Amino acid sequence: MATHHANAVLPDEPEKATLEGKNKVLGFWLFLGGETVLFGSLFATFIALRDQVNGGPTSQQLFDMPLVAAATLILLTSSMTSVMATLALHKKNLKMIQVWLTITVLLGLGFLGLEIYEFVHYVHEGHKVSTSAFGSAFYTLVGFHGGHVAFGIIWITILQLSAVKKGLTVVTAPKFYLACLYWHFIDVVWVFIFTVVYLMGMIGGKVG
């Protein structure tokens, strides 16, 4: 019922159909700008400290690239499913929004599961937060991103539960849109982490 009703009354791009919706989108872009600066600082810190291992394991000795590659594939796939959710939003199809976002959440949980396993494995190998400056910088950057993934999962889940009662409206549509935009952001950040932390870490040598 909610889907049929939404199709009848919602305009194109319902996330921007009202001034409030447009302001939310603009404000969220500003928020992502601040997040970009924050992550940029963490990247700069990691690059500066990546060789400070203090006798602990180096990135070449430590990183489990097949595991990281699997986690990367899962997260990039979740980016595609969130795109499908956005397309369903523009078609005003609440049922398919819910389907694609459910898949996104499940993939996000899979990514977090692999990341937790990765961290536990590294700790057993002697790579702890307190082991070295490299360890502190690594866990801060990668863990901070993992926290963002966890937040995104919780946010999307709450939106889905709320939409069961509220349906798809010009009020709820911007929330779905921003959640998908946030998910794309954390996917893009992971691409940089995969490149700067893992790939460059396996190659070795100092950056810059």
Side-chain angles (χ1 to χ4, degrees), residues 74-164:
I74 289 173
L75 198 61
L76 292 181
T77 301
S78 76
S79 184
M80 182 187 70
T81 58
S82 65
V83 168
M84 298 304 295
T86 302
L87 293 176
L89 171 64
H90 290 159
K91 293 179 181 178
K92 302 116 182 181
N93 190 332
L94 179 58
K95 179 180 178 180
M96 292 310 300
I97 293 173
Q98 297 281 47
V99 168
W100 288 117
L101 287 182
T102 297
I103 297 173
T104 301
V105 166
L106 292 176
L107 290 170
L109 289 171
F111 171 84
L112 280 183
L114 288 180
E115 187 167 272
I116 291 171
Y117 175 82
E118 177 193 17
F119 282 6
V120 171
H121 171 68
Y122 291 167
V123 169
H124 287 164
E125 293 294 319
H127 181 59
K128 303 176 182 179
V129 175
S130 58
T131 300
S132 63
F134 166 54
S136 299
F138 171 82
Y139 285 113
T140 300
L141 173 57
V142 181
F144 191 62
H145 174 268
H148 278 67
V149 174
F151 175 79
I153 290 171
I154 295 171
W155 182 10
I156 292 173
T157 300
I158 292 174
L159 285 180
Q160 288 183 284
L161 294 175
S162 176
V164 172

Side-chain angles (χ1 to χ4, degrees), residues 38-51:
L38 180 56
F39 271 107
S41 299
L42 294 178
F43 274 109
T45 301
F46 174 82
I47 291 172
L49 300 177
R50 58 177 292 190
D51 297 303

